[in-house]
Amino acid sequence: MAGRQDGAVPADGRDSGHATWAEELLDQLRPTGRDVRKVVAWLAAAAHGTVCLLDGAGTLLAGAPVPLAADVLADVLAGRFASAALQDAGRHVRAVRVGRPQEPAAGVLAVSRAAPFDRRTAEMLTRTAGVVELLLRADETSEAGRRLEQATSALRLAILQLLMVEDIVSARRVAAGLWPGLLDTDTAHVYVLEAHRDERERLTAECLDATGGQALVVRCPAVDGHVIVIAPAEATGPQLRALAGARPRTFLGGSVRHSLARTATAYGQAISALALARFRPDGTAVYAERTHPERLMDHEALRAWSGRLLRPLDALAHHTRAELVATTRLGLEFTAVSAARILGVSRNTVRARMERVEGLLGADFSLLTVRAAVHLALNTQAGIAPEPAAGPVAGAHRAGFGELLTGPALRTWARELLGRLAADTRDLRGTLRAWTAAGGNAERAAQLLGVHAQTVREHVRGVEPVLERQLLAVGSDLYEVVLAQMAAGDLDPPSLDGPARG
C-alpha cells in the first residue's frame, strides 16, 4: 500500500511530488482522522463515484445508497463471494466484503461509477475495505470497553448503595466477583475528593490507579464533582493526599475509621472535612474527633429513650423497618435529592418513606429540633452514636428527651460551645436561635428578627467557623448545634418520648 502501483497517480490528479492515493489512505489511520465516514467520502472522491458502506444487516452506515441486488449483497455477506462486479443502467458497480462473515464488524463496501473499473480503482477499493475493517474493529473494541467500564462503574455504585443502607452481606457478595477480598474487613475510612465536574472522569481514573484495586472508587451519584473512596487499607489515605496535592483545585476530605455498617456516617464526616479542606493550604483535611453531645448523656437513659421513641417501627416487617430506617437516616443526613441519588431511588420515594416514619413516631421533620432528636435516637439504636461517658443516674430508664438534656456535663459543654459566639459584635447567637426555630429558613428567620434574609445568611455563615461545624448543609454538625441550643436553654426540646409501655 505504501508504494505506487500500475502507474497510479494521486486521487486529485497531482504530480508524483504529492501524496499518492495509498499514502492518502494511510493518513486515514492517523489518531486524529480515524472516522469511517471520512474514509468512505475519500474513496468516493478518489474513485469518482458513489460509495456506500453497509453493515451485516444491509443497513447504510456511511456514504450514499448504491444500487445493489439483495441476492448479491447476501452472497458477499455470507462469504460465498469475496467480491462482486456488475453493470446496471450504464453504471459500473463493484462490492467487496469487509471483515469475515458472521462477525460483528462484517459488512459490504460498494462503489458505483460511470467509468469501468481499472486496476488502480479496483485495488483502491480493496485496500480501503481493509482500512474500514480496521476502523470498525477499533470502534467495536472501544465500544466494548465503554460498556465494560459502565458495567463496572454501576457495580461499584451498587456496592456503595448497599453499604449506605448497612446491607454488608450483599455488598460483599457483589464485590467478591470482581474485587476479591476488597471488603473482607470490618472497618474502613471514607474519603471524598472534589474537582471540577469536567475533571471527574480523569480524577476517577487516577484514584483507581493510585489505589491499585485496594479501595472502592465510586463517582458520587449526588454531586457531579465528587469521587467517593471506601478505603479499608491505611495506606490509601497518603496515596489520595498525594494525588490531591498534585492536582490543581482538587480537595480531599476523609473520615475516621468506622465499621462498614457506619459507611453513611463516615461519608458525612468526609463531607464535613471536605468543607474544611477548601481552606487548607494543601487542600486536604481529615475529620477530627471531638466532644459529641451524646457522649455527655446518661448511657442507659439515652438507649432506653431511643428504644421507646422508635418502638412503633418494631411492629413492621423486618425488611420494611430496615428500609424505612436506612432511608430516614440518610434523609436526615442529606437532602432528599442527595439521599435519593445515593440510594438509587426517586426523591418522592425518599419523602414517602420519611413521611411514613413521621406518622409512626408522631414527629414533624420540618422542625430542626425534632430532626435532631430522631437523628440521635436512630444513631443510638444502630450503635452509631459514641458511647456516653457520663455515669447512670437514678430512674434514668424512664427519663424523657428533655431530661436527657439537663445533665451538668452536657450543659457545660453547650454553654462553652455557644459562648464562643459572644466574641463577635453581631448577635450571632440570637440569629442562630431564630434561624433554627424557623427550620433553617433564612426568610422566616429574617421576619422574626426584623432584618434582611441576607443578613441572616451572613450571620449563620459567620457561626460556622467559630463553632467549627457546617450548618447550612443538613447533617450531624447541624444537629449537634441544635442539641447544644436545647441543652443551653436557647430552644425548647420537642415532646418526643414514645409510648409509655407496650
Side-chain angles (χ1 to χ4, degrees):
M1 289 179 62
R4 185 186 297 270
Q5 296 187 22
D6 195 31
V9 296
D12 58 3
R14 291 179 292 179
D15 293 334
S16 58
H18 297 280
T20 65
W21 68 263
E23 289 170 334
E24 291 178 354
L25 180 56
L26 282 174
D27 280 343
Q28 305 298 324
L29 291 175
R30 294 182 183 276
T32 56
R34 293 174 183 171
D35 188 333
V36 168
R37 290 169 297 183
K38 290 182 179 179
V39 174
V40 169
W42 171 86
L43 178 60
H48 304 292
T50 303
V51 180
C52 76
L53 174 64
L54 308 175
D55 65 11
T59 303
L60 183 68
L61 295 179
V66 169
L68 198 60
D71 56 342
V72 174
L73 176 62
D75 286 340
V76 175
L77 282 171
R80 286 185 284 273
F81 304 108
S83 63
L86 59 148
Q87 184 175 358
D88 182 37
R91 301 288 295 181
H92 298 269
V93 179
R94 183 164 294 196
V96 297
R97 187 177 67 247
V98 174
R100 289 186 284 274
Q102 311 307 322
E103 284 190 347
V108 170
L109 183 65
V111 176
S112 172
R113 56 187 241 147
F117 281 81
D118 54 17
R119 179 179 174 184
R120 168 184 174 275
T121 309
E123 183 178 3
M124 191 183 298
L125 171 60
T126 303
R127 300 294 190 186
T128 303
V131 169
V132 168
E133 179 183 357
L134 288 175
L135 295 178
L136 289 177
R137 287 185 185 278
D139 288 344
E140 180 187 347
T141 301
S142 298
E143 180 59 30
R146 282 192 293 270
R147 288 196 298 267
L148 178 60
E149 169 54 28
Q150 289 173 353
T152 304
S153 179
L155 279 176
R156 290 196 294 260
L157 175 58
I159 294 168
L160 173 67
Q161 291 169 339
L162 290 168
L163 291 174
M164 285 289 193
V165 297
E166 303 175 31
D167 193 348
I168 310 305
V169 173
S170 296
R172 283 174 173 151
R173 285 174 180 167
V174 175
L178 289 177
W179 304 282
L182 176 61
L183 297 182
D184 290 350
T185 178
D186 294 325
T187 60
H189 292 274
V190 174
Y191 296 94
V192 177
L193 292 98
E194 179 182 80
H196 190 276
R197 58 191 302 174
D198 296 338
E199 286 289 311
R200 185 166 72 161
E201 292 303 313
R202 184 181 301 175
L203 177 60
T204 302
E206 291 176 1
C207 286
L208 288 168
D209 289 341
T211 57
Q214 300 302 306
L216 181 70
V217 179
V218 185
R219 298 176 185 87
C220 178
V223 183
D224 288 342
H226 286 187
V227 177
I228 302 170
V229 180
I230 312 295
E234 289 291 343
T236 303
Q239 292 166 344
L240 295 177
R241 280 192 287 272
L243 173 61
R247 301 179 94 263
R249 296 179 299 281
T250 299
F251 307 101
L252 170 70
S255 75
V256 297
R257 182 170 283 275
H258 280 283
S259 70
L260 292 179
R262 302 182 185 182
T263 298
T265 299
Y267 172 67
Q269 289 185 353
I271 290 294
S272 180
L274 182 64
L276 180 61
R278 298 186 187 104
F279 303 98
R280 292 278 185 86
D282 63 352
T284 69
V286 175
Y287 185 82
E289 278 288 12
R290 60 198 180 205
T291 301
H292 297 279
E294 53 266 41
R295 289 186 184 272
L296 305 175
M297 297 179 185
D298 174 74
H299 178 46
E300 295 300 327
L302 177 58
R303 292 194 65 83
W305 167 78
S306 299
R308 290 197 309 275
L309 177 63
L310 302 177
R311 188 175 300 162
L313 301 177
D314 297 339
L316 302 173
H318 176 73
H319 71 281
T320 302
R321 186 188 192 282
E323 183 178 74
L324 292 180
V325 167
T327 302
T328 302
R329 280 188 50 224
L330 284 174
L332 293 175
E333 284 284 352
F334 313 108
T335 65
V337 173
S338 295
R341 290 175 178 171
I342 292 169
L343 291 170
V345 299
S346 72
R347 60 184 175 182
N348 288 336
T349 298
V350 171
R351 289 175 178 141
R353 291 175 183 174
M354 294 185 69
E355 287 172 1
R356 186 176 180 186
V357 172
E358 280 183 293
L360 289 169
L361 302 185
D364 180 1
F365 287 163
S366 67
L367 302 175
L368 284 179
T369 53
V370 172
R371 292 173 71 92
V374 175
H375 179 267
L376 174 65
L378 289 172
N379 284 354
T380 298
Q381 192 171 81
I384 290 174
E387 289 292 318
V393 297
H397 63 286
R398 294 303 309 161
F401 180 59
E403 293 173 87
L404 289 174
L405 302 173
T406 60
L410 182 64
R411 283 192 163 179
T412 299
W413 165 81
R415 289 166 180 161
E416 185 280 327
L417 180 69
L418 298 175
R420 301 177 195 173
L421 301 176
D424 198 296
T425 55
R426 300 169 294 179
D427 184 14
L428 296 185
R429 187 165 176 173
T431 302
L432 179 63
R433 181 191 305 115
W435 179 79
T436 306
N441 186 288
E443 284 74 15
R444 290 205 299 268
Q447 291 176 355
L448 292 173
L449 296 170
V451 298
H452 196 278
Q454 186 59 31
T455 301
V456 174
R457 295 188 187 96
E458 290 174 357
H459 283 200
V460 175
R461 290 193 189 97
V463 169
E464 290 185 321
V466 177
L467 301 188
E468 298 179 333
R469 285 163 174 82
Q470 261 190 308
L471 302 180
L472 294 174
V474 295
S476 300
D477 281 6
L478 172 61
Y479 300 139
E480 284 190 5
V481 173
V482 174
L483 289 174
Q485 290 175 286
M486 290 188 285
D490 290 18
L491 296 172
D492 294 327
S495 178
L496 281 176
D497 294 327
R501 291 285 180 187

